[in-house]
């Protein structure tokens, strides 16, 4: 595995390994066969594993999710691809009312090892319904695990861990990072739900996940030129959240800024800010601040840069935090 | 998770689709498939021959009576405040017992919330069904024990689970089949139509069993469809059959045919069991606001139990002793259900945190610990 891989290729390899390792693993989705998916994440897999394991499904998201649940009941381990974030809503009922609750309703008698892969979030200049960040809906639903990698190594290993999990996992893929390259290590170095400190610092903690990790790393690099040492934590898992790592970081730096693409209102940042305030109140030098999208539908692509948090908005928030 | 792969080769010899029932899209409406008239006469149907021993007929009668008794007992228990709600199957016993008894051991049923008769045929302990209506769980039984899935309340959602399960059967090379139960109202849902598409294109061995009991709470079937429901199947490319849902023999014969059709690699079948909900939709419903007493009266004459009893008596297939024995058994069942429900314990509140996930989840663990500590603080307070 060693070597530089794009996130897309790292995901592709993870799917390949999962298909090889367990004959019960199946891929299902629209256009994932000959085409290899609209982002080519499943490229070549149908050729090598056959139409029975890499299944082009009818254009029916609820149908894809609902039949995946039935296949899981029969002992299979389906990995579902939703073509784009904005098209998961027709499957929402099957995900939140059925997939998330089946294990509990059966008092533990059945397991739901289903992985739902969703290319999410913006920044690629797409038409509407192709750029949304809906992680809070899923993280709000008990019974689901929600994770999102930000680099090739995590993309590979987190996907393999997600597929091996006996619980349903919503696996959010930051689509604008698909082509970013990175080293993929030979083994997972963290649990699926552990956060990672990707840049150590002392003055404030930037908390991000998925596509925003890169923005925060860039912000931290820029801040360093001004003599500010920012710590960047890649959350990786949105349910459950690794509060232990966050808490330790924030207690050290005394300041925290949460950054995500989704609207700030009732987003992941709200939850993180509330909990960090409870846990680190006496260590905080400033309120936990949030940077994110506005409370508006994801905008047309010509103005999406105004909607998305960028380096300057992150640095502005850091200035405000440091000014307390 | 057990995988029921019998690894038996799937038979390719297809049972023929009866010509009259091929989904042709013509306007000609085939009559209901019927093998036992409301007057208790056995009749032949060219496409669905059924031979039954006297013992089988008596056994079906026993099923019908006991299922009705169980249902009546549950309705009474709701009235007594022992259950929060009950969805009665009164009037639909034949559709459920006929289809339920058509299943083989390896077949799998995906019910709605009203399939108490099917559960009975799958040998699920009736008390299991009452847990969710009493409010002690949301299902609770192990679906794989008797191949009877949990009740599903979101209308039509289970038809997709059934179809996916059936797709798995095909992958396993097993020769089992699946029945997905749903109502006439559910036929309007997207999920049911998506299930039809998936089942059809993947040739999944699933029988869609629609109990058209004429009503979806207060809405008549005409609010859901402009064509007879069984004819929906033709648009999806598989056969649809309408059967007299109050005729246990016809339901048995047609479902047996459909399951064999599906398990032999011929893909799905839609059965519309034409029946009637004699009671309220649930114990919270008031049918006098939307339907006429005359309608209910007219259906009474088609009662599924009465017509089988008439046959048994007329043909001398059962004596007084048999009927008395069934009645006695029915009394016992009633007693068992009553006592079982009353002594059903409330779960420990920590059940809230059990089984949210199958692997540990930090937030759930933390909140469980918080709750336990909180609850303990009250106990400590009492000791003062
Ligand atoms: C998606 C959804 N919408 C609404 C309801 C509320 N509801 C419960 S039963 C029912 C009527 C269902 O009618 P039908 O499918 O004909 O089945 P029946 O109860 O008559 O057997 C409705 C509207 C529901 N459970 N699920």
């Amino acid at each position: 595995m060693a070597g530089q891989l794009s996130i897309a290729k790292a995901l592709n390899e993870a799917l390949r390994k999962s298909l090889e390792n367990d004959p019960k693993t199946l891929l299902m989705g629209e256009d994932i066969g000959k085409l290899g998916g609209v982002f080519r994440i499943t490229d070549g897999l149908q050729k090598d594993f056959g139409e029975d394991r890499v299944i082009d499904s009818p254009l029916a998201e609820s149908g894809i999710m609902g039949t995946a649940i039935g296949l899981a009941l029969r002992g299979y381990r389906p990995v579902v691809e939703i073509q784009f974030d904005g098209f998961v809503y027709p499957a929402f009922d099957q995900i939140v009312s059925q997939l998330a609750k089946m294990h509990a309703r059966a008092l533990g008698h059945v397991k739901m090892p289903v992985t739902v892969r969703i290319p999410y979030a913006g920044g690629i200049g797409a038409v509407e319904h192709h750029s949304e960040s809906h992680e809070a809906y899923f993280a709000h639903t008990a019974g689901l695990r929600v994770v999102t990698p930000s680099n090739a190594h995590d993309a590979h290993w987190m996907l393999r861990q997600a597929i091996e999990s006996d619980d349903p996992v919503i696996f959010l893929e930051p689509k604008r990072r698909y082509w970013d390259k990175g080293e993929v290590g030979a083994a997972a170095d963290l649990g699926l739900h552990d956060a990672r400190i990707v840049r150590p610092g002392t003055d404030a903690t930037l908390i991000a996940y998925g596509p925003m990790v890169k923005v925060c790393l860039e912000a931290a690099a820029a801040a360093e030129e001004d003599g500010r040492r920012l710590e960047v934590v890649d959350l990786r898992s949105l349910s459950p959240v690794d509060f232990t790592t966050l808490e330790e970081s924030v207690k050290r730096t005394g300041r925290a800024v949460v950054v995500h693409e989704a609207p700030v209102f009732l987003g992941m940042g709200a939850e993180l800010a509330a909990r960090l305030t409870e846990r680190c109140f006496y260590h905080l030098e400033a309120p936990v601040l949030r940077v994110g999208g506005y409370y508006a539908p994801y905008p047309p692509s010509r103005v999406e840069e105004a909607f998305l948090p960028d380096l300057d908005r992150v640095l502005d928030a850091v200035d405000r935090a440091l000014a307390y | 998770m057990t995988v029921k792969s019998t690894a038996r080769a799937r038979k390719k010899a297809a049972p023929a689709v009866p010509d009259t029932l091929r989904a042709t899209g013509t306007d000609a409406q085939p009559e209901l498939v019927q093998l036992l008239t409301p007057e208790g006469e056995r009749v032949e149907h060219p496409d669905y021959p059924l031979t039954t021993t006297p013992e089988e007929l008596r056994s079906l009668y026993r099923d019908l009576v006991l299922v009705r008794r169980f249902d009546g007992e549950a309705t009474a228990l709701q009235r007594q405040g022992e259950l929060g709600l009950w969805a009665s199957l009164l009037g639909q016993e034949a559709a459920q017992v006929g289809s339920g008894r058509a299943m083989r051991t390896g077949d799998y049923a995906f019910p709605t919330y009203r399939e108490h008769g099917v559960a009975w045929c799958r040998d699920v302990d009736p008390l299991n069904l009452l847990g969710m209506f009493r409010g002690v769980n949301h299902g609770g039984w192990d679906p794989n024990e008797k191949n009877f899935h949990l009740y599903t309340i979101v209308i039509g959602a289970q038809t997709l689970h059934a179809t996916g399960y059936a797709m798995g059967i095909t992958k396993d090379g097993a020769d089992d089949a699946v029945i997905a139960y749903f109502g006439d109202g559910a036929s309007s849902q997207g999920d049911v139509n998506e299930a039809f598409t998936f089942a059809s294109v993947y040739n999944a061995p699933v029988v869609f069993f629609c109990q058209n009991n004429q009503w979806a709470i207060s809405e008549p079937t005409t609010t859901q469809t402009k064509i007879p429901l069984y004819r929906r199947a033709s648009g999806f490319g598989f056969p649809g059959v309408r059967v007299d849902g109050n005729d246990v023999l016809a339901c048995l014969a047609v479902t047996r045919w459909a399951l064999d059709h599906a398990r032999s690699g011929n893909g799905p079948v839609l059965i519309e069991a034409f029946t009637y909900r004699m009671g309220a939709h649930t114990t919270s419903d008031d049918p006098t606001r939307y339907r006429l007493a005359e309608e209910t009266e007219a259906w009474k004459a088609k009662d599924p139990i009465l017509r089988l009893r008439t046959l048994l008596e007329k043909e001398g297939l059962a004596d007084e002793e048999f009927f008395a024995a069934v009645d006695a058994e029915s009394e016992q069942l009633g007693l068992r259900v009553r006592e079982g429900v009353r002594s059903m314990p409330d779960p420990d509140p920590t059940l809230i945190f059990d089984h949210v996930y199958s692997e540990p989840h930090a937030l759930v663990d933390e909140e469980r610990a918080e709750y336990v500590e909180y609850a303990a603080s009250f106990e400590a307070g009492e000791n003062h």
Side-chain angles (χ1 to χ4, degrees):
Chain A
M1 189 76 49
Q4 295 275 316
L5 292 184
S6 67
I7 287 185
K9 186 64 184 162
L11 292 167
N12 177 274
E13 288 290 326
L15 293 172
R16 174 176 293 280
K17 281 282 179 308
S18 300
L19 286 163
E20 271 169 16
N21 292 348
D22 180 1
K24 291 289 178 186
T25 298
L26 305 171
L27 311 189
M28 303 169 66
E30 297 163 9
D31 304 300
I32 67 167
K34 281 210 175 72
L35 183 67
V38 292
F39 288 105
R40 310 290 184 267
I41 307 300
T42 56
D43 194 24
L45 298 177
Q46 190 182 65
K47 187 164 85 32
D48 295 341
F49 294 93
E51 293 179 10
D52 246 22
R53 308 258 334 260
V54 180
I55 306 166
D56 268 330
S57 57
L59 272 67
E61 281 71 16
S62 192
I64 296 170
M65 254 339 295
T67 52
I69 290 169
L71 281 157
L73 289 168
R74 181 75 190 180
Y76 285 86
R77 205 169 265 280
V79 183
V80 162
E81 175 172 304
I82 298 292
Q83 202 154 61
F84 279 94
D85 36 57
F87 309 137
V88 76
Y89 304 115
F92 197 65
D93 164 58
Q94 285 288 346
I95 294 174
V96 302
S97 299
Q98 306 295 331
L99 182 67
K101 294 180 180 162
M102 201 66 86
H103 181 70
R105 286 173 54 217
L107 295 181
H109 290 299
V110 300
K111 295 194 164 118
M112 279 289 118
V114 179
T115 304
V116 185
R117 295 182 35 242
I118 314 178
Y120 85 118
I124 63 164
V127 295
E128 73 171 332
H129 312 300
H130 290 70
S131 303
E132 300 184 11
S133 297
H134 37 36
E135 62 269 23
Y137 295 129
F138 298 115
H140 193 64
T141 300
L144 302 174
R145 295 175 181 276
V146 185
V147 301
T148 174
S150 69
N151 59 58
H153 175 81
D154 282 345
H156 182 89
W157 290 107
M158 286 171 72
L159 183 52
R160 289 182 63 177
Q161 289 167 326
I163 294 170
E164 277 165 21
S165 170
D166 278 338
D167 286 319
V169 181
I170 306 295
F171 191 89
L172 300 169
E173 302 175 0
K175 67 169 90 75
R176 73 154 118 164
R177 306 288 179 226
Y178 272 145
W179 304 279
D180 286 8
K181 287 195 168 176
E183 184 80 18
V184 176
D189 54 339
L190 287 178
L192 181 58
H193 298 293
D194 295 331
R196 187 197 300 279
I197 296 175
V198 286
R199 179 189 173 108
T202 50
D203 297 344
T205 302
L206 295 178
I207 301 166
Y209 51 86
M212 280 295 124
V213 173
K214 191 172 179 180
V215 172
C216 287
L217 284 170
E218 286 165 2
E224 181 142 47
E225 289 170 22
D226 298 334
R228 287 176 174 167
R229 290 146 57 121
L230 303 182
E231 179 145 306
V232 181
V233 181
D234 179 355
L235 205 52
R236 296 171 82 249
S237 175
L238 311 183
S239 174
V241 168
D242 176 4
F243 277 106
T244 310
T245 298
L246 289 186
E247 204 179 314
E248 281 167 13
S249 171
V250 172
K251 281 183 177 166
R252 263 189 288 108
T253 63
R255 291 179 169 81
V257 177
V258 187
V259 184
H260 54 59
E261 286 194 21
V264 168
F265 184 71
L266 284 174
M268 280 299 298
E271 182 62 39
L272 297 174
R275 293 216 181 226
L276 287 172
T277 304
E278 282 179 26
R279 289 168 189 240
C280 312
F281 190 70
Y282 292 108
H283 297 80
L284 283 170
E285 308 285 342
V288 179
L289 298 180
R290 292 169 290 161
V291 179
Y294 299 107
Y295 196 53
Y298 194 89
S301 58
R302 293 297 181 121
V303 290
E304 71 179 334
E305 292 307 327
F307 179 89
L308 293 170
D310 59 7
L311 191 141
D312 290 322
R313 271 173 62 198
V314 174
L315 289 175
D316 277 357
V318 169
D319 285 346
R320 276 189 286 134
L322 286 163
Y324 275 90
Chain B
M1 168 102 4
T2 44
V3 177
K4 302 207 167 44
S5 171
T6 64
R8 252 182 293 173
R10 288 165 69 69
K11 284 175 288 171
K12 282 300 163 201
V17 177
D19 273 347
T20 45
L21 300 169
R22 263 183 211 290
T24 56
T26 70
D27 280 337
Q29 278 191 35
E31 293 171 9
L32 298 177
V33 175
Q34 197 175 68
L35 299 180
L36 177 63
T37 68
E39 293 74 35
E41 303 283 347
R42 271 303 284 270
V43 286
E44 292 289 321
H45 191 286
D47 299 322
Y48 305 100
L50 183 75
T51 47
T52 42
T53 63
E55 194 186 341
E56 280 167 336
L57 291 176
R58 285 195 296 267
S59 173
L60 287 169
Y61 176 82
R62 172 179 171 271
D63 285 339
L64 294 172
V65 169
L66 294 182
V67 160
R68 179 170 290 183
R69 176 54 186 260
F70 165 68
D71 183 73
E73 201 64 50
T75 303
L77 284 164
Q78 195 280 335
R79 296 284 178 243
Q80 294 159 21
E82 298 289 344
L83 300 177
L85 182 81
W86 183 244
S88 163
L89 64 30
L90 187 66
Q92 300 178 219
E93 297 88 349
Q96 297 194 12
V97 168
S99 60
R101 287 295 175 207
M103 298 175 82
R104 304 195 321 206
T105 320
D107 295 342
Y108 213 109
F110 285 78
T112 68
Y113 42 77
R114 204 191 288 287
E115 268 67 75
H116 324 312
V118 182
W120 173 263
C121 296
R122 297 309 287 172
D123 210 17
V124 172
D125 184 343
L127 281 168
N128 278 349
L129 307 177
L130 299 175
M132 80 182 287
F133 292 101
R134 187 171 170 85
V136 303
N137 58 42
H138 290 313
W141 64 88
D142 178 358
N144 291 319
E145 202 180 310
K146 300 291 164 69
N147 282 8
F148 184 79
H149 193 65
L150 304 175
Y151 277 179
T152 298
I153 291 189
V154 176
I155 297 297
Q158 77 284 359
T159 57
L160 282 167
H161 309 160
T163 302
Y165 191 93
M167 287 161 63
I169 289 177
T170 307
K171 290 182 183 304
D172 292 345
D175 73 344
D176 301 322
V178 174
I179 304 191
Y181 289 90
F182 61 104
D184 48 305
S187 72
S188 298
Q189 287 282 355
D191 276 5
V192 172
N193 290 272
E194 294 188 27
F196 287 178
T197 296
F198 276 70
S200 174
V201 302
Y202 295 119
N203 232 32
V206 54
V207 173
F208 295 106
F209 195 94
C210 176
Q211 288 171 81
N212 178 358
N213 64 9
Q214 313 301 323
W215 294 92
I217 311 188
S218 70
E219 297 188 357
T221 310
T222 48
T223 305
Q224 319 297 335
T225 182
K226 300 258 282 187
I227 62 161
L229 282 174
Y230 72 91
R231 277 168 52 191
R232 287 271 178 90
S234 78
F236 292 90
F238 53 89
V241 188
R242 181 183 267 179
V243 59
D244 182 342
N246 286 20
D247 171 351
V248 69
L249 302 183
C251 288
L252 175 65
V254 169
T255 312
R256 207 176 258 168
W257 169 80
L259 284 165
D260 281 342
H261 177 92
R263 81 172 88 252
S264 312
N266 298 298
V269 176
L270 169 62
I271 297 173
E272 177 190 359
F274 204 75
T275 181
Y276 194 78
R277 185 190 88 210
M278 292 302 291
H281 169 72
T282 65
T283 43
S284 318
D285 176 40
D286 174 11
T288 64
R289 295 176 74 112
Y290 55 81
R291 73 182 186 191
L292 298 170
E294 294 90 86
E295 181 185 297
T296 318
E297 281 306 307
W299 276 90
K300 231 182 216 167
K302 303 178 187 176
D303 185 75
I305 300 186
L306 209 56
R307 67 170 87 174
L308 184 54
R309 183 171 180 132
T310 309
L311 176 77
L312 289 172
E313 285 174 343
K314 229 173 18 192
E315 309 261 316
L317 302 175
D319 52 17
E320 273 316 309
E321 204 179 324
F322 166 77
F323 291 118
V326 172
D327 287 346
E329 203 181 346
S330 160
E331 281 308 311
Q332 272 181 343
L333 176 67
L335 187 67
R336 183 163 94 77
V337 168
R338 265 197 310 282
E339 288 182 346
V341 165
R342 293 199 175 120
S343 57
M344 199 179 275
D346 282 355
D348 187 292
T350 53
L351 173 81
I352 295 167
F353 307 100
D354 292 342
H355 315 301
V356 181
Y357 295 89
S358 56
E359 296 163 9
H361 186 285
L363 182 58
V364 175
D365 295 346
E366 182 188 315
E367 293 193 350
R368 172 200 285 275
E370 254 171 49
Y371 173 81
V372 168
E373 198 186 339
Y374 178 68
S377 72
F378 286 95
E379 279 158 33
E382 275 166 20
N383 293 338
H384 281 184

